[in-house]
Amino acid sequence: MIVFSGTDKKLGSFRLQDINFEIPEGYICGLVGRNGAGKTTLLHLLLGLFQPDAGEVQVDGYEYGSNEKEIRKLLGCVLVDELFDRGLSLADNAEYFGSYYEAYDAEIYHKHLEQFHLLPKRKFKELSKGEKLKCQFAFALAIRPKYLILDEPTANFDPEFRDAFWKILKDFIADGAHSVVLATHLTDDLDRMADRLLFLDKGKIQFDGDMEHFREKYRILSGETYLINLIGKERILGMEEGKYSTKALVKNNGSRPYPEGLAEAAPSIEEFMYLYSKGGGDKC
Amino acid sequence: MLKQLMKEYMIGFKKVQQADMKNPFVWFPISYGALLPFIISKKEGAIVFISLLPLTLIMLSAHMHPFGLNKMHYLCPMTAEERKKKIRQEYYFRCGLHFTMIAVFLLAVLIIRGIQLPALIYLLAIGFLYSCISNPGECKGKIAYYAFEILAFFVTWICTLTLPADGTYDKSEYIYLACVYALLLLGMIPAFVSLMKSVRKEIEQGAFYEKGAIMTKS
């Protein structure tokens, strides 16, 4: 299980504050938020690249201070940065960095390279952005990690590969012993595939829970503005007034029905983020 | 371990374009040396040129093979202490390799044309100091490295200019030159100490990504 408890990190003027969440095994957890919300900082803390100013980061009960090596054996990652050596071939890169991992399996790596249509003898620098990420993804799988940490890889994948990518992730967590943490802006895929959601805004976690809870907790209401205002401002997280109709993101309270004449629907992650941003935040 | 260090050093040759080759001081000794036969006498110029050759090779090597870790190393299963050890080993390996290059070259000069003792000691000492130059990549402390490189180059240059073409000095020059060499070496010590401080800092900080990462250049 991945556990953040009371974690703080200050980077210049940005501050990740009081981060508390748990990600158990068997989940695909989507990490979403606007640019600069703190997603990459959070992932860097999870990967031990940054050390927290306060609080703890634990992976399977291990902490970086005392069991860094054990944690790193459990984590495979794909980051936006180019992790491999540009001057080396894909095979040489994997051979070199794979030597640090006891569980590295060259066969898995080459199998995935073939599946992703990448030639092992090609130099890393010759690859396109998407291909570089595919290659790093193949390596992350080849070290046979317990947790996959992925920082916005999907934006650079072609639609055809994206399907294969999600299938691999589903297979990865299928045994219930592995998990994926995926930061992405492509929320449509998350709507379909994620089991859990972490929504970050201004360095704070605004939502942490499974997708069912997310769909249950919020509603998108559409209709006349005056009808929406009847709900009460404290429940409205964000609102957009249109020419003919107004849309609002509200906290769902199952016991109190909405005024008649309003259309009600569970929000998609994208709708949630969009309307949430209209409300200025801090009300989740 | 030595095999692994050599393997990592050899990787440097495969990523020459990635190395920081913009530093003009890398090319300065060799270009200067190449011009000398046209400026001073051919024989003396050739001596200076040959004398500067190993120093240029060391500079090239230092810049092709910066020591330190890239981001992926910080993600691999290693403790901070192991990362520190790895950086330290890389640095010592480079120093050793560079000094071997100088020593082999001096041995060759000794066999071919002979060098008198003060010059040999001086060149070995300079060679040792020079061998400790290693490019810290993207890390801090570059100024110390560059300052040392420039200083080392000029000190060596003065030495090569004082080398007689036939490899021997007049007796009257012998003590005088020994004193000059000693003074030059003493003058380099503060710069060398500063360089070593910078190296130690690089090694200490290099163990942690936040403090000392060399980002893989794109």
PDB file of all heavy atoms in Angstrom, chain A residues 80-112:
ATOM      1  N   VAL A  80       7.903  12.283 -17.536  1.00  0.00           N
ATOM      2  CA  VAL A  80       7.961  13.121 -18.735  1.00  0.00           C
ATOM      3  C   VAL A  80       9.416  13.330 -19.150  1.00  0.00           C
ATOM      4  O   VAL A  80       9.743  13.387 -20.334  1.00  0.00           O
ATOM      5  CB  VAL A  80       7.281  14.485 -18.469  1.00  0.00           C
ATOM      6  CG1 VAL A  80       7.311  15.352 -19.712  1.00  0.00           C
ATOM      7  CG2 VAL A  80       5.848  14.270 -18.023  1.00  0.00           C
ATOM      8  N   ASP A  81      10.323  13.427 -18.164  1.00  0.00           N
ATOM      9  CA  ASP A  81      11.747  13.604 -18.473  1.00  0.00           C
ATOM     10  C   ASP A  81      12.284  12.350 -19.155  1.00  0.00           C
ATOM     11  O   ASP A  81      11.801  11.258 -18.911  1.00  0.00           O
ATOM     12  CB  ASP A  81      12.554  13.804 -17.184  1.00  0.00           C
ATOM     13  CG  ASP A  81      12.092  15.013 -16.427  1.00  0.00           C
ATOM     14  OD1 ASP A  81      11.841  16.033 -17.070  1.00  0.00           O
ATOM     15  OD2 ASP A  81      11.967  14.927 -15.197  1.00  0.00           O
ATOM     16  N   GLU A  82      13.309  12.553 -19.961  1.00  0.00           N
ATOM     17  CA  GLU A  82      13.944  11.397 -20.592  1.00  0.00           C
ATOM     18  C   GLU A  82      14.849  10.730 -19.568  1.00  0.00           C
ATOM     19  O   GLU A  82      15.843  11.314 -19.144  1.00  0.00           O
ATOM     20  CB  GLU A  82      14.745  11.850 -21.803  1.00  0.00           C
ATOM     21  CG  GLU A  82      13.863  12.351 -22.912  1.00  0.00           C
ATOM     22  CD  GLU A  82      14.658  12.887 -24.087  1.00  0.00           C
ATOM     23  OE1 GLU A  82      15.885  12.734 -24.093  1.00  0.00           O
ATOM     24  OE2 GLU A  82      14.033  13.458 -24.977  1.00  0.00           O
ATOM     25  N   LEU A  83      14.487   9.537 -19.174  1.00  0.00           N
ATOM     26  CA  LEU A  83      15.262   8.861 -18.134  1.00  0.00           C
ATOM     27  C   LEU A  83      16.432   8.088 -18.705  1.00  0.00           C
ATOM     28  O   LEU A  83      17.452   7.907 -18.048  1.00  0.00           O
ATOM     29  CB  LEU A  83      14.353   7.912 -17.347  1.00  0.00           C
ATOM     30  CG  LEU A  83      13.193   8.576 -16.615  1.00  0.00           C
ATOM     31  CD1 LEU A  83      12.332   7.541 -15.923  1.00  0.00           C
ATOM     32  CD2 LEU A  83      13.702   9.579 -15.579  1.00  0.00           C
ATOM     33  N   PHE A  84      16.300   7.629 -19.926  1.00  0.00           N
ATOM     34  CA  PHE A  84      17.365   6.828 -20.526  1.00  0.00           C
ATOM     35  C   PHE A  84      18.462   7.718 -21.093  1.00  0.00           C
ATOM     36  O   PHE A  84      18.257   8.898 -21.374  1.00  0.00           O
ATOM     37  CB  PHE A  84      16.786   5.948 -21.636  1.00  0.00           C
ATOM     38  CG  PHE A  84      16.232   4.635 -21.137  1.00  0.00           C
ATOM     39  CD1 PHE A  84      16.275   4.304 -19.801  1.00  0.00           C
ATOM     40  CD2 PHE A  84      15.690   3.727 -22.017  1.00  0.00           C
ATOM     41  CE1 PHE A  84      15.779   3.105 -19.338  1.00  0.00           C
ATOM     42  CE2 PHE A  84      15.183   2.519 -21.582  1.00  0.00           C
ATOM     43  CZ  PHE A  84      15.232   2.203 -20.237  1.00  0.00           C
ATOM     44  N   ASP A  85      19.600   7.074 -21.315  1.00  0.00           N
ATOM     45  CA  ASP A  85      20.745   7.781 -21.878  1.00  0.00           C
ATOM     46  C   ASP A  85      20.545   7.966 -23.384  1.00  0.00           C
ATOM     47  O   ASP A  85      20.331   6.990 -24.109  1.00  0.00           O
ATOM     48  CB  ASP A  85      21.995   6.948 -21.629  1.00  0.00           C
ATOM     49  CG  ASP A  85      23.219   7.790 -21.726  1.00  0.00           C
ATOM     50  OD1 ASP A  85      23.422   8.439 -22.782  1.00  0.00           O
ATOM     51  OD2 ASP A  85      23.970   7.828 -20.762  1.00  0.00           O
ATOM     52  N   ARG A  86      20.620   9.197 -23.820  1.00  0.00           N
ATOM     53  CA  ARG A  86      20.302   9.511 -25.212  1.00  0.00           C
ATOM     54  C   ARG A  86      21.244   8.855 -26.219  1.00  0.00           C
ATOM     55  O   ARG A  86      20.857   8.513 -27.323  1.00  0.00           O
ATOM     56  CB  ARG A  86      20.329  11.024 -25.430  1.00  0.00           C
ATOM     57  CG  ARG A  86      19.168  11.743 -24.803  1.00  0.00           C
ATOM     58  CD  ARG A  86      19.378  13.251 -24.838  1.00  0.00           C
ATOM     59  NE  ARG A  86      19.629  13.738 -26.183  1.00  0.00           N
ATOM     60  CZ  ARG A  86      18.683  13.966 -27.086  1.00  0.00           C
ATOM     61  NH1 ARG A  86      17.432  13.754 -26.760  1.00  0.00           N
ATOM     62  NH2 ARG A  86      18.992  14.417 -28.281  1.00  0.00           N
ATOM     63  N   GLY A  87      22.480   8.703 -25.820  1.00  0.00           N
ATOM     64  CA  GLY A  87      23.485   8.192 -26.771  1.00  0.00           C
ATOM     65  C   GLY A  87      23.500   6.683 -26.901  1.00  0.00           C
ATOM     66  O   GLY A  87      24.157   6.152 -27.800  1.00  0.00           O
ATOM     67  N   LEU A  88      22.794   5.993 -26.040  1.00  0.00           N
ATOM     68  CA  LEU A  88      22.818   4.525 -26.074  1.00  0.00           C
ATOM     69  C   LEU A  88      21.597   3.972 -26.795  1.00  0.00           C
ATOM     70  O   LEU A  88      20.564   4.622 -26.877  1.00  0.00           O
ATOM     71  CB  LEU A  88      22.842   3.968 -24.651  1.00  0.00           C
ATOM     72  CG  LEU A  88      24.053   4.296 -23.779  1.00  0.00           C
ATOM     73  CD1 LEU A  88      23.915   3.616 -22.427  1.00  0.00           C
ATOM     74  CD2 LEU A  88      25.338   3.866 -24.440  1.00  0.00           C
ATOM     75  N   SER A  89      21.750   2.742 -27.272  1.00  0.00           N
ATOM     76  CA  SER A  89      20.607   2.081 -27.920  1.00  0.00           C
ATOM     77  C   SER A  89      19.599   1.648 -26.854  1.00  0.00           C
ATOM     78  O   SER A  89      19.917   1.641 -25.659  1.00  0.00           O
ATOM     79  CB  SER A  89      21.087   0.859 -28.699  1.00  0.00           C
ATOM     80  OG  SER A  89      21.478  -0.143 -27.789  1.00  0.00           O
ATOM     81  N   LEU A  90      18.418   1.262 -27.297  1.00  0.00           N
ATOM     82  CA  LEU A  90      17.382   0.833 -26.348  1.00  0.00           C
ATOM     83  C   LEU A  90      17.840  -0.416 -25.596  1.00  0.00           C
ATOM     84  O   LEU A  90      17.609  -0.546 -24.393  1.00  0.00           O
ATOM     85  CB  LEU A  90      16.072   0.538 -27.086  1.00  0.00           C
ATOM     86  CG  LEU A  90      15.527   1.646 -28.003  1.00  0.00           C
ATOM     87  CD1 LEU A  90      14.099   1.324 -28.399  1.00  0.00           C
ATOM     88  CD2 LEU A  90      15.596   2.996 -27.333  1.00  0.00           C
ATOM     89  N   ALA A  91      18.518  -1.318 -26.324  1.00  0.00           N
ATOM     90  CA  ALA A  91      19.000  -2.545 -25.683  1.00  0.00           C
ATOM     91  C   ALA A  91      20.095  -2.221 -24.658  1.00  0.00           C
ATOM     92  O   ALA A  91      20.083  -2.743 -23.547  1.00  0.00           O
ATOM     93  CB  ALA A  91      19.527  -3.501 -26.744  1.00  0.00           C
ATOM     94  N   ASP A  92      21.033  -1.344 -25.047  1.00  0.00           N
ATOM     95  CA  ASP A  92      22.146  -0.999 -24.129  1.00  0.00           C
ATOM     96  C   ASP A  92      21.635  -0.276 -22.882  1.00  0.00           C
ATOM     97  O   ASP A  92      22.116  -0.513 -21.778  1.00  0.00           O
ATOM     98  CB  ASP A  92      23.183  -0.119 -24.842  1.00  0.00           C
ATOM     99  CG  ASP A  92      23.995  -0.902 -25.852  1.00  0.00           C
ATOM    100  OD1 ASP A  92      23.939  -2.147 -25.790  1.00  0.00           O
ATOM    101  OD2 ASP A  92      24.659  -0.289 -26.701  1.00  0.00           O
ATOM    102  N   ASN A  93      20.673   0.616 -23.096  1.00  0.00           N
ATOM    103  CA  ASN A  93      20.100   1.338 -21.954  1.00  0.00           C
ATOM    104  C   ASN A  93      19.496   0.368 -20.948  1.00  0.00           C
ATOM    105  O   ASN A  93      19.758   0.462 -19.748  1.00  0.00           O
ATOM    106  CB  ASN A  93      19.002   2.290 -22.441  1.00  0.00           C
ATOM    107  CG  ASN A  93      19.489   3.717 -22.572  1.00  0.00           C
ATOM    108  OD1 ASN A  93      20.055   4.276 -21.629  1.00  0.00           O
ATOM    109  ND2 ASN A  93      19.306   4.303 -23.731  1.00  0.00           N
ATOM    110  N   ALA A  94      18.701  -0.567 -21.472  1.00  0.00           N
ATOM    111  CA  ALA A  94      18.022  -1.513 -20.581  1.00  0.00           C
ATOM    112  C   ALA A  94      19.031  -2.428 -19.899  1.00  0.00           C
ATOM    113  O   ALA A  94      18.895  -2.750 -18.723  1.00  0.00           O
ATOM    114  CB  ALA A  94      17.011  -2.333 -21.363  1.00  0.00           C
ATOM    115  N   GLU A  95      20.067  -2.819 -20.645  1.00  0.00           N
ATOM    116  CA  GLU A  95      21.085  -3.696 -20.066  1.00  0.00           C
ATOM    117  C   GLU A  95      21.812  -2.966 -18.929  1.00  0.00           C
ATOM    118  O   GLU A  95      22.066  -3.527 -17.866  1.00  0.00           O
ATOM    119  CB  GLU A  95      22.073  -4.102 -21.154  1.00  0.00           C
ATOM    120  CG  GLU A  95      22.982  -5.233 -20.722  1.00  0.00           C
ATOM    121  CD  GLU A  95      24.166  -5.393 -21.653  1.00  0.00           C
ATOM    122  OE1 GLU A  95      24.034  -5.080 -22.851  1.00  0.00           O
ATOM    123  OE2 GLU A  95      25.233  -5.806 -21.160  1.00  0.00           O
ATOM    124  N   TYR A  96      22.116  -1.692 -19.181  1.00  0.00           N
ATOM    125  CA  TYR A  96      22.856  -0.909 -18.185  1.00  0.00           C
ATOM    126  C   TYR A  96      22.009  -0.638 -16.929  1.00  0.00           C
ATOM    127  O   TYR A  96      22.409  -0.974 -15.815  1.00  0.00           O
ATOM    128  CB  TYR A  96      23.326   0.407 -18.809  1.00  0.00           C
ATOM    129  CG  TYR A  96      23.972   1.332 -17.797  1.00  0.00           C
ATOM    130  CD1 TYR A  96      25.129   0.960 -17.142  1.00  0.00           C
ATOM    131  CD2 TYR A  96      23.395   2.551 -17.489  1.00  0.00           C
ATOM    132  CE1 TYR A  96      25.721   1.792 -16.197  1.00  0.00           C
ATOM    133  CE2 TYR A  96      23.967   3.392 -16.545  1.00  0.00           C
ATOM    134  CZ  TYR A  96      25.122   3.001 -15.908  1.00  0.00           C
ATOM    135  OH  TYR A  96      25.687   3.816 -14.968  1.00  0.00           O
ATOM    136  N   PHE A  97      20.831  -0.050 -17.130  1.00  0.00           N
ATOM    137  CA  PHE A  97      20.009   0.294 -15.954  1.00  0.00           C
ATOM    138  C   PHE A  97      19.360  -0.959 -15.335  1.00  0.00           C
ATOM    139  O   PHE A  97      19.119  -0.995 -14.137  1.00  0.00           O
ATOM    140  CB  PHE A  97      18.953   1.337 -16.318  1.00  0.00           C
ATOM    141  CG  PHE A  97      19.537   2.699 -16.562  1.00  0.00           C
ATOM    142  CD1 PHE A  97      19.524   3.276 -17.820  1.00  0.00           C
ATOM    143  CD2 PHE A  97      20.143   3.394 -15.528  1.00  0.00           C
ATOM    144  CE1 PHE A  97      20.089   4.525 -18.043  1.00  0.00           C
ATOM    145  CE2 PHE A  97      20.709   4.635 -15.740  1.00  0.00           C
ATOM    146  CZ  PHE A  97      20.680   5.205 -16.997  1.00  0.00           C
ATOM    147  N   GLY A  98      19.112  -1.970 -16.186  1.00  0.00           N
ATOM    148  CA  GLY A  98      18.530  -3.211 -15.675  1.00  0.00           C
ATOM    149  C   GLY A  98      19.455  -3.918 -14.695  1.00  0.00           C
ATOM    150  O   GLY A  98      18.995  -4.646 -13.814  1.00  0.00           O
ATOM    151  N   SER A  99      20.761  -3.662 -14.841  1.00  0.00           N
ATOM    152  CA  SER A  99      21.727  -4.336 -13.949  1.00  0.00           C
ATOM    153  C   SER A  99      21.554  -3.896 -12.491  1.00  0.00           C
ATOM    154  O   SER A  99      22.045  -4.549 -11.585  1.00  0.00           O
ATOM    155  CB  SER A  99      23.154  -4.071 -14.423  1.00  0.00           C
ATOM    156  OG  SER A  99      23.461  -2.696 -14.293  1.00  0.00           O
ATOM    157  N   TYR A 100      20.855  -2.789 -12.274  1.00  0.00           N
ATOM    158  CA  TYR A 100      20.609  -2.336 -10.899  1.00  0.00           C
ATOM    159  C   TYR A 100      19.422  -3.063 -10.252  1.00  0.00           C
ATOM    160  O   TYR A 100      19.228  -2.978  -9.059  1.00  0.00           O
ATOM    161  CB  TYR A 100      20.328  -0.824 -10.880  1.00  0.00           C
ATOM    162  CG  TYR A 100      21.556   0.016 -11.162  1.00  0.00           C
ATOM    163  CD1 TYR A 100      21.791   0.547 -12.421  1.00  0.00           C
ATOM    164  CD2 TYR A 100      22.478   0.268 -10.151  1.00  0.00           C
ATOM    165  CE1 TYR A 100      22.908   1.309 -12.678  1.00  0.00           C
ATOM    166  CE2 TYR A 100      23.603   1.029 -10.395  1.00  0.00           C
ATOM    167  CZ  TYR A 100      23.816   1.556 -11.665  1.00  0.00           C
ATOM    168  OH  TYR A 100      24.928   2.301 -11.902  1.00  0.00           O
ATOM    169  N   TYR A 101      18.608  -3.701 -11.089  1.00  0.00           N
ATOM    170  CA  TYR A 101      17.393  -4.344 -10.563  1.00  0.00           C
ATOM    171  C   TYR A 101      17.551  -5.865 -10.550  1.00  0.00           C
ATOM    172  O   TYR A 101      17.868  -6.453 -11.591  1.00  0.00           O
ATOM    173  CB  TYR A 101      16.184  -3.991 -11.443  1.00  0.00           C
ATOM    174  CG  TYR A 101      15.754  -2.554 -11.373  1.00  0.00           C
ATOM    175  CD1 TYR A 101      16.328  -1.589 -12.203  1.00  0.00           C
ATOM    176  CD2 TYR A 101      14.766  -2.151 -10.487  1.00  0.00           C
ATOM    177  CE1 TYR A 101      15.942  -0.266 -12.140  1.00  0.00           C
ATOM    178  CE2 TYR A 101      14.365  -0.820 -10.431  1.00  0.00           C
ATOM    179  CZ  TYR A 101      14.956   0.112 -11.256  1.00  0.00           C
ATOM    180  OH  TYR A 101      14.563   1.432 -11.200  1.00  0.00           O
ATOM    181  N   GLU A 102      17.300  -6.454  -9.398  1.00  0.00           N
ATOM    182  CA  GLU A 102      17.375  -7.915  -9.301  1.00  0.00           C
ATOM    183  C   GLU A 102      16.290  -8.561 -10.165  1.00  0.00           C
ATOM    184  O   GLU A 102      16.493  -9.625 -10.734  1.00  0.00           O
ATOM    185  CB  GLU A 102      17.155  -8.351  -7.845  1.00  0.00           C
ATOM    186  CG  GLU A 102      18.329  -8.060  -6.938  1.00  0.00           C
ATOM    187  CD  GLU A 102      17.946  -8.154  -5.469  1.00  0.00           C
ATOM    188  OE1 GLU A 102      16.912  -8.753  -5.143  1.00  0.00           O
ATOM    189  OE2 GLU A 102      18.718  -7.599  -4.646  1.00  0.00           O
ATOM    190  N   ALA A 103      15.142  -7.908 -10.241  1.00  0.00           N
ATOM    191  CA  ALA A 103      13.993  -8.533 -10.922  1.00  0.00           C
ATOM    192  C   ALA A 103      13.924  -8.215 -12.411  1.00  0.00           C
ATOM    193  O   ALA A 103      12.986  -8.656 -13.089  1.00  0.00           O
ATOM    194  CB  ALA A 103      12.701  -8.072 -10.251  1.00  0.00           C
ATOM    195  N   TYR A 104      14.904  -7.482 -12.922  1.00  0.00           N
ATOM    196  CA  TYR A 104      14.844  -7.096 -14.344  1.00  0.00           C
ATOM    197  C   TYR A 104      14.846  -8.336 -15.234  1.00  0.00           C
ATOM    198  O   TYR A 104      15.679  -9.235 -15.075  1.00  0.00           O
ATOM    199  CB  TYR A 104      16.026  -6.189 -14.694  1.00  0.00           C
ATOM    200  CG  TYR A 104      16.164  -5.953 -16.182  1.00  0.00           C
ATOM    201  CD1 TYR A 104      15.226  -5.193 -16.869  1.00  0.00           C
ATOM    202  CD2 TYR A 104      17.208  -6.528 -16.911  1.00  0.00           C
ATOM    203  CE1 TYR A 104      15.334  -4.996 -18.242  1.00  0.00           C
ATOM    204  CE2 TYR A 104      17.329  -6.339 -18.265  1.00  0.00           C
ATOM    205  CZ  TYR A 104      16.384  -5.577 -18.931  1.00  0.00           C
ATOM    206  OH  TYR A 104      16.489  -5.395 -20.285  1.00  0.00           O
ATOM    207  N   ASP A 105      13.922  -8.334 -16.182  1.00  0.00           N
ATOM    208  CA  ASP A 105      13.804  -9.462 -17.102  1.00  0.00           C
ATOM    209  C   ASP A 105      13.920  -8.935 -18.541  1.00  0.00           C
ATOM    210  O   ASP A 105      12.993  -8.304 -19.055  1.00  0.00           O
ATOM    211  CB  ASP A 105      12.449 -10.158 -16.879  1.00  0.00           C
ATOM    212  CG  ASP A 105      12.319 -11.443 -17.673  1.00  0.00           C
ATOM    213  OD1 ASP A 105      12.981 -11.562 -18.718  1.00  0.00           O
ATOM    214  OD2 ASP A 105      11.551 -12.319 -17.243  1.00  0.00           O
ATOM    215  N   ALA A 106      15.064  -9.219 -19.157  1.00  0.00           N
ATOM    216  CA  ALA A 106      15.320  -8.706 -20.513  1.00  0.00           C
ATOM    217  C   ALA A 106      14.286  -9.239 -21.504  1.00  0.00           C
ATOM    218  O   ALA A 106      13.939  -8.556 -22.483  1.00  0.00           O
ATOM    219  CB  ALA A 106      16.730  -9.089 -20.944  1.00  0.00           C
ATOM    220  N   GLU A 107      13.808 -10.438 -21.245  1.00  0.00           N
ATOM    221  CA  GLU A 107      12.836 -11.041 -22.165  1.00  0.00           C
ATOM    222  C   GLU A 107      11.541 -10.215 -22.198  1.00  0.00           C
ATOM    223  O   GLU A 107      10.982  -9.960 -23.272  1.00  0.00           O
ATOM    224  CB  GLU A 107      12.532 -12.457 -21.695  1.00  0.00           C
ATOM    225  CG  GLU A 107      12.213 -13.423 -22.824  1.00  0.00           C
ATOM    226  CD  GLU A 107      12.131 -14.844 -22.303  1.00  0.00           C
ATOM    227  OE1 GLU A 107      13.182 -15.403 -21.936  1.00  0.00           O
ATOM    228  OE2 GLU A 107      11.000 -15.369 -22.240  1.00  0.00           O
ATOM    229  N   ILE A 108      11.101  -9.799 -21.006  1.00  0.00           N
ATOM    230  CA  ILE A 108       9.878  -8.972 -20.928  1.00  0.00           C
ATOM    231  C   ILE A 108      10.104  -7.654 -21.664  1.00  0.00           C
ATOM    232  O   ILE A 108       9.252  -7.184 -22.422  1.00  0.00           O
ATOM    233  CB  ILE A 108       9.499  -8.691 -19.448  1.00  0.00           C
ATOM    234  CG1 ILE A 108       9.160  -9.990 -18.735  1.00  0.00           C
ATOM    235  CG2 ILE A 108       8.330  -7.706 -19.354  1.00  0.00           C
ATOM    236  CD1 ILE A 108       8.854  -9.824 -17.252  1.00  0.00           C
ATOM    237  N   TYR A 109      11.286  -7.074 -21.456  1.00  0.00           N
ATOM    238  CA  TYR A 109      11.604  -5.789 -22.090  1.00  0.00           C
ATOM    239  C   TYR A 109      11.556  -5.910 -23.622  1.00  0.00           C
ATOM    240  O   TYR A 109      10.887  -5.124 -24.295  1.00  0.00           O
ATOM    241  CB  TYR A 109      12.992  -5.339 -21.628  1.00  0.00           C
ATOM    242  CG  TYR A 109      13.477  -4.053 -22.248  1.00  0.00           C
ATOM    243  CD1 TYR A 109      12.875  -2.833 -21.937  1.00  0.00           C
ATOM    244  CD2 TYR A 109      14.543  -4.048 -23.136  1.00  0.00           C
ATOM    245  CE1 TYR A 109      13.324  -1.651 -22.497  1.00  0.00           C
ATOM    246  CE2 TYR A 109      15.009  -2.866 -23.693  1.00  0.00           C
ATOM    247  CZ  TYR A 109      14.398  -1.671 -23.368  1.00  0.00           C
ATOM    248  OH  TYR A 109      14.846  -0.506 -23.932  1.00  0.00           O
ATOM    249  N   HIS A 110      12.221  -6.934 -24.136  1.00  0.00           N
ATOM    250  CA  HIS A 110      12.280  -7.094 -25.588  1.00  0.00           C
ATOM    251  C   HIS A 110      10.912  -7.486 -26.163  1.00  0.00           C
ATOM    252  O   HIS A 110      10.577  -7.079 -27.273  1.00  0.00           O
ATOM    253  CB  HIS A 110      13.375  -8.098 -25.964  1.00  0.00           C
ATOM    254  CG  HIS A 110      14.743  -7.515 -25.805  1.00  0.00           C
ATOM    255  ND1 HIS A 110      15.353  -6.774 -26.790  1.00  0.00           N
ATOM    256  CD2 HIS A 110      15.600  -7.501 -24.757  1.00  0.00           C
ATOM    257  CE1 HIS A 110      16.530  -6.353 -26.356  1.00  0.00           C
ATOM    258  NE2 HIS A 110      16.719  -6.782 -25.121  1.00  0.00           N
ATOM    259  N   LYS A 111      10.155  -8.228 -25.376  1.00  0.00           N
ATOM    260  CA  LYS A 111       8.799  -8.600 -25.821  1.00  0.00           C
ATOM    261  C   LYS A 111       7.949  -7.320 -25.990  1.00  0.00           C
ATOM    262  O   LYS A 111       7.261  -7.142 -26.991  1.00  0.00           O
ATOM    263  CB  LYS A 111       8.152  -9.530 -24.786  1.00  0.00           C
ATOM    264  CG  LYS A 111       6.819 -10.116 -25.216  1.00  0.00           C
ATOM    265  CD  LYS A 111       6.115 -10.801 -24.073  1.00  0.00           C
ATOM    266  CE  LYS A 111       5.273  -9.804 -23.303  1.00  0.00           C
ATOM    267  NZ  LYS A 111       4.575 -10.337 -22.146  1.00  0.00           N
ATOM    268  N   HIS A 112       8.061  -6.432 -25.016  1.00  0.00           N
ATOM    269  CA  HIS A 112       7.284  -5.187 -25.096  1.00  0.00           C
ATOM    270  C   HIS A 112       7.810  -4.260 -26.191  1.00  0.00           C
ATOM    271  O   HIS A 112       7.026  -3.600 -26.875  1.00  0.00           O
ATOM    272  CB  HIS A 112       7.267  -4.475 -23.747  1.00  0.00           C
ATOM    273  CG  HIS A 112       6.338  -5.104 -22.760  1.00  0.00           C
ATOM    274  ND1 HIS A 112       4.979  -5.224 -22.971  1.00  0.00           N
ATOM    275  CD2 HIS A 112       6.571  -5.685 -21.567  1.00  0.00           C
ATOM    276  CE1 HIS A 112       4.422  -5.830 -21.949  1.00  0.00           C
ATOM    277  NE2 HIS A 112       5.359  -6.133 -21.076  1.00  0.00           N
TER     278      HIS A 112
END
